[in-house]
Amino acid sequence: MNFANLNASLPFRSIGRTIQMYPDRLTAEILYQARAGELAPDKLNAFFMYNSTANFALIDNLEELIFTFEDQSFTIRRDEVETWYREVGSVALLRDADLWRAHVQSRIADEDQVTDFVTSVVRSSSQNNDRSSI
């Protein structure tokens, strides 16, 4: 799957953005033309969960994803997302529509699940790379 096309169909697609690839590190960075601090925290947290899961499920050779906003940068690693979805076995299995609905879409509606995801896997550069939610 093409990284740019995938992300053009995911939440926050209406925000202007550019993409930077780091193939030697199997890392992709999306630079958004918006301030994270001005976005609704619940929407931003759900975005982290949904978009990172979709990217890791559909792009096998992606190991790290960086969401950079004008005021903060957030890093999410495949191994940590895999650990969070451990009951599925592999995020690649989430390509199955039934598994996607059961393990991603149903959890997005649960604020506690979204908060747990963000606390567990999202690292913010504005917090000295400590894991934190916004």
Side-chain angles (χ1 to χ4, degrees), residues 23-104:
D24 56 321
R25 296 180 10 221
L26 301 177
T27 298
E29 181 176 19
I30 304 174
L31 299 103
Y32 288 95
Q33 297 166 354
R35 296 177 54 79
E38 294 176 358
L39 301 170
D42 59 329
K43 300 281 188 213
L44 186 61
N45 286 342
F47 155 84
F48 290 136
M49 183 177 178
Y50 194 89
N51 288 30
S52 66
T53 301
N55 274 280
F56 290 127
L58 295 170
I59 302 174
D60 290 327
N61 64 345
L62 182 63
E63 293 297 323
E64 187 173 68
L65 187 55
I66 304 167
F67 297 113
T68 300
F69 292 85
E70 293 171 352
D71 56 340
Q72 287 181 283
S73 184
F74 304 89
T75 302
I76 302 173
R77 293 185 6 215
R78 173 184 291 277
D79 60 341
E80 293 175 342
V81 172
E82 290 274 4
T83 298
W84 199 82
Y85 286 105
R86 64 190 162 278
E87 78 280 355
V88 177
S90 168
V91 293
L93 296 174
L94 294 172
R95 293 175 188 160
D96 176 85
D98 291 332
L99 289 175
W100 182 265
R101 279 189 293 279
H103 294 281
V104 182

